[in-house]
Structures are given as structure tokens and as C-alpha cells.
């Protein structure tokens, strides 16, 4: 991930303040205007930008930063802290059930990286906790989707429960959960169907799966490279499904940063993990503070 444009513009906006013993209100106004433009150009949600700029300005004025020592440095610090807050403050761990299995339902649009991400997460739990996950193939609309999950399962040595494409996905999930119970799997992943866009039929199906499976985690997978579309998608899924977490994929290919910076503030739901490549090991916990530092460079 490199949000180079954003990093450079933010640095430039604040560099102009450096070395000044005292910052005038005009200086602050200019800086805030540049920060605002930098964020908008990075495709950050308009309301998020507005709130962000207002908060930083209010804090700078309220804490009398302009008259204090090292005003430039203090403004950088405020920007850093507010970027961190906008993205959720601290890392949020995976929800876990008090008794096995923990059920994780994965949702997202086609191509967002859902199947790959199920594999990455299962692989991570396997490596870190010696977990024994089961993955349920509940996308019956594309035969290739089942094959893909089976291939991922072989790659990471995690079993896949599938019943082909002729059974109702809710029934597949029901039988998959029974199998996990019988086999004492500690995690169950439900790989649901995706569409090119949000439609009612898909949402109804996901709602029915949710009702049956009572997932501990409804993880929404969104593609960072789609910027504000990723944010709109997250909002759309969350309104219907009340998701518990977001995984932002393809951050390695995202040059702007708009989705990473907007999703938490727009949906109120935490980004829990980020995908940063195509390999099974390319999944990281999302740390808002580290992301803010990376953005500021
Ligand atoms: P699904 O339709 O949502 O199940 O999406 P897939 O899991 O099939 O992923 C679609 C494409 O995105 C595949 O080519 C993946 O290898 C790729 N992909 C998924 N996650 C990432 C990521 O974090 N970074 C990159 N560069 N590619 C990814």
C-alpha cells in the first residue's frame, strides 16, 4: 500500500507551517484548505472530510496551538490523532463464540476477494491458533466458485463442505453446520454468493443464512480499489445485514486511500483485516494508528 499522492499532499500542506514561530489564523486556514483538498482527491467521503477538517481546526484553535511552542509539530500530531480516530482508533479483534464453533459468515460483491479472503483468514487461524476450521461453499450460482474454494482448501489443508449447485444455500449451510458440530471444528466459514451489485434476491438469501446460522461475525469483504463504491457497498450491505466487521482487500493496489479512510466513519463498523496481495499469507490485522502513520509518511 502506498497512498503516495495523499502522503505528499498532506506533508506539503503542513511543511509550510514548519519553522514558523507563530502561526496566523490565515496560515491555519490555508493549511486546512490544502488538507481538505488532499483528502477529497484521495476519494475520501465528502462528509468524512468535512467533519475531519472541522475537528482538526477546532482542536488547533481550542488548545491554543497557534500561540504555543512548535505549532507545526502540534498540528501534525492532531492530524495524526484524528486520522487514527476516523479509522476507528484501535484494532478490533475477530468476534469469537464462547463455545465452538465460532461461525463467520462472509459476504461481499463478486470479485471483491471473498473466496480468497476466507482462505486467508482460515489459514491465519490455523497457523496462529492451530485451529481446525471448516469452510462451507454456499455460492451455488457459479460452479467455479465452489471449485475455487475447494482449491483454496487443498492449498491450506482446510476441509470444504459442499453439496454442488442444486441445493438451496440455506440447506447447505444447515448441513455444513451439523457437520462442523459432529467433527468438532472450532471455526466455520460460510462463503456466500456475490453479485456484481447489491440486489434484493441476494440480500434475502444472505438474511436467511444469517437467521439460520446465527453467525458470531458477519464479515463484509470490500475491494479498496473501488474507492467510494466500496464505501457505498459497505453501507448497502450493512443496512440490510448489520455486519460486524469489514475486510478491505486489494489495499496493495489502492493508490488513493479513500475506502480505508471512510468506511469506519460512514458505517460505524470496524475494518478488522486488510488484504495486501494474492497469497494466502497476505492478510493483516488493521491497525488505525499504524495506518495513520503510514499515510503521514
Ligand atoms: P470473490 O468473487 O469475491 O470470491 O473474489 P475472489 O476471491 O475470487 O478474488 C477476486 C480476485 O481478486 C482474485 O484474482 C484474487 O486473487 C484477487 N484478490 C483478492 N484479494 C486480494 C488482495 O488483497 N490483493 C490483490 N492484489 N488481489 C486480491
Amino acid at each position: 500500500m502506498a497512498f503516495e499522492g495523499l502522503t505528499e499532499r498532506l506533508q506539503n500542506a503542513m511543511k509550510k507551517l514548519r519553522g514558523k514561530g507563530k502561526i496566523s489564523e490565515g496560515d491555519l486556514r490555508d493549511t486546512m484548505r490544502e488538507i481538505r483538498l488532499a483528502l477529497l482527491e484521495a476519494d475520501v467521503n465528502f462528509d468524512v472530510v468535512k467533519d475531519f477538517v472541522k475537528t482538526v481546526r477546532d482542536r488547533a484553535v481550542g488548545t491554543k496551538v497557534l500561540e504555543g511552542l512548535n505549532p507545526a509539530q502540534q498540528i501534525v500530531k492532531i492530524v495524526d490523532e484524528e486520522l487514527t480516530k476516523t479509522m476507528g482508533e484501535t484494532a478490533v479483534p475477530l468476534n469469537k463464540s464462547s463455545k465452538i464453533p465460532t461461525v463467520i459468515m462472509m459476504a461481499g460483491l463478486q470479485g471483491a476477494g471473498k473466496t480468497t479472503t476466507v482462505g486467508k483468514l482460515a489459514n491465519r487461524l490455523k497457523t496462529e491458533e492451530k485451529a481446525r476450521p471448516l469452510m462451507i461453499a454456499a455460492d451455488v450460482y457459479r460452479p467455479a466458485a465452489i471449485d475455487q474454494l475447494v482449491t483454496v482448501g487443498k492449498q491450506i489443508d482446510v476441509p470444504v463442505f459442499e453439496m454442488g449447485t442444486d441445493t438451496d444455500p440455506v440447506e447447505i449451510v444447515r448441513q455444513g453446520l451439523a457437520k462442523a458440530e459432529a467433527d468438532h471444528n472450532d471455526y466455520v466459514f460460510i462463503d456466500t454468493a456475490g453479485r456484481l451489485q447489491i440486489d434484493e434476491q441476494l440480500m434475502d438469501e444472505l438474511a436467511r443464512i444469517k437467521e439460520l446460522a446465527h453467525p458470531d461475525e458477519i464479515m463484509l469483504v470490500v475491494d479498496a480499489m473501488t474507492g467510494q463504491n466500496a464505501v457505498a457497498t459497505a453501507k448497502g450491505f450493512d443496512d440490510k445485514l448489520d455486519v460486524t466487521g469489514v475486510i478491505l482487500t486489494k489495499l496493495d493496489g489502492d493508490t488513493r486511500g479513500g475506502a480505508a479512510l471512510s468506511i469506519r466513519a460512514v458505517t460505524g463498523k470496524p475494518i478488522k483485516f486488510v488484504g495486501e496481495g494474492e497469497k494466502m499469507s497476505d492478510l493483516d490485522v488493521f491497525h488505525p494508528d499504524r495506518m495513520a502513520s503510514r499515510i503521514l509518511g
Side-chain angles (χ1 to χ4, degrees):
M1 185 270 334
F3 306 147
E4 275 152 17
L6 178 59
T7 300
E8 196 183 323
R9 289 199 62 165
L10 288 176
Q11 282 178 348
N12 283 342
M14 293 186 281
K15 208 187 304 179
K16 290 181 191 146
L17 300 175
R18 227 183 279 156
K20 291 196 183 200
K22 194 166 172 296
I23 294 175
S24 69
E25 282 194 24
D27 292 333
L28 181 65
R29 204 180 314 121
D30 291 346
T31 302
M32 292 320 302
R33 188 183 307 123
E34 283 177 42
I35 289 177
R36 181 172 169 276
L37 288 173
L39 291 171
L40 288 175
E41 205 154 288
D43 202 22
V44 180
N45 174 278
F46 184 79
D47 292 330
V48 174
V49 175
K50 222 169 76 183
D51 287 351
F52 180 86
V53 169
K54 182 175 182 324
T55 308
V56 172
R57 187 193 293 118
D58 288 352
R59 276 189 66 186
V61 173
T63 52
K64 299 202 181 336
V65 157
L66 308 189
E67 298 148 32
L69 280 175
N70 285 324
Q73 220 169 310
Q74 291 194 54
I75 287 178
V76 173
K77 185 162 172 280
I78 292 174
V79 170
D80 188 355
E81 287 170 5
E82 291 303 326
L83 281 176
T84 305
K85 256 189 227 164
T86 302
M87 290 185 286
E89 199 92 61
T90 51
V92 181
L94 201 63
N95 291 346
K96 287 180 190 173
S97 165
S98 52
K99 64 178 190 26
I100 65 163
T102 289
V103 178
I104 302 170
M105 174 175 169
M106 309 286 287
L109 293 182
Q110 196 174 307
K114 196 161 15 74
T115 306
T116 310
T117 306
V118 175
K120 286 178 176 177
L121 203 48
N123 187 46
R124 184 184 180 91
L125 293 167
K126 204 174 160 239
T127 316
E128 279 188 352
E129 304 179 8
K130 305 237 178 322
R132 297 177 50 251
L134 175 72
M135 306 193 287
I136 301 177
D139 180 357
V140 298
Y141 306 100
R142 292 186 311 132
I146 298 177
D147 295 344
Q148 194 189 341
L149 190 65
V150 168
T151 305
V152 167
K154 283 197 184 118
Q155 203 182 329
I156 59 173
D157 196 20
V158 166
V160 172
F161 181 85
E162 59 111 348
M163 296 175 69
T165 56
D166 294 333
T167 308
D168 180 58
V170 180
E171 178 59 19
I172 297 176
V173 170
R174 200 182 63 73
Q175 295 198 27
L177 289 172
K179 169 115 175 77
E181 195 100 359
D183 292 352
H184 303 290
N185 292 107
D186 39 17
Y187 289 93
V188 176
F189 288 92
I190 306 171
D191 187 22
T192 63
R195 300 275 162 83
L196 291 176
Q197 59 207 32
I198 293 178
D199 66 41
E200 212 164 308
Q201 203 189 347
L202 173 65
M203 287 302 158
D204 284 349
E205 179 175 307
L206 295 176
R208 284 198 297 131
I209 292 176
K210 175 183 171 182
E211 201 176 285
L212 174 100
H214 297 296
D216 302 288
E217 185 90 73
I218 302 180
M219 200 67 105
L220 181 66
V221 178
V222 291
D223 176 347
M225 287 169 70
T226 62
Q228 280 312 296
N229 282 335
V231 181
T233 302
K235 180 109 184 51
F237 271 90
D238 189 44
D239 286 348
K240 296 264 165 48
L241 277 182
D242 193 12
V243 308
T244 55
V246 177
I247 299 185
L248 197 56
T249 62
K250 309 186 198 180
L251 206 58
D252 51 309
D254 178 24
T255 53
R256 302 217 281 168
L261 272 163
S262 310
I263 282 179
R264 173 65 190 243
V266 170
T267 65
K269 299 300 164 71
I271 298 175
K272 295 196 172 183
F273 296 93
V274 288
E276 302 202 71
E278 295 194 77
K279 291 200 302 290
M280 281 296 122
S281 54
D282 294 331
L283 184 79
D284 296 304
V285 172
F286 182 69
H287 292 280
D289 54 341
R290 289 184 207 165
M291 183 60 82
S293 306
R294 269 160 83 175
I295 288 171
L296 287 176

